[in-house]
Amino acid sequence: MAIDLLRVLHLAMRAGDYHQEGDVTSMADVTSSTLQILLNARETLNDAEARHDR
């Protein structure tokens, strides 16, 4: 989970760079990657909770 957080922070920094450069396509790619990481982390947490509740 900590690795996911580091990846999201790294992508956020890259998005800032792309924003300054005006690179909209790369900003969209980074945003999409970030959302996928967050959705996967959420799914992992939900699975862990479901196993814990059994």
Side-chain angles (χ1 to χ4, degrees), residues 28-47:
D29 291 344
V30 167
T31 300
S32 177
S33 295
T34 301
L35 290 173
Q36 191 59 51
I37 291 168
L38 293 172
L39 289 172
N40 289 343
R42 179 179 177 205
E43 186 175 310
T44 300
L45 286 173
N46 287 343
D47 291 345

Side-chain angles (χ1 to χ4, degrees), residues 13-27:
M13 290 176 11
R14 286 183 58 195
D17 292 340
Y18 294 142
H19 183 276
Q20 288 178 351
E21 296 169 5
D23 189 347
V24 176
T25 302
S26 293
M27 282 175 37

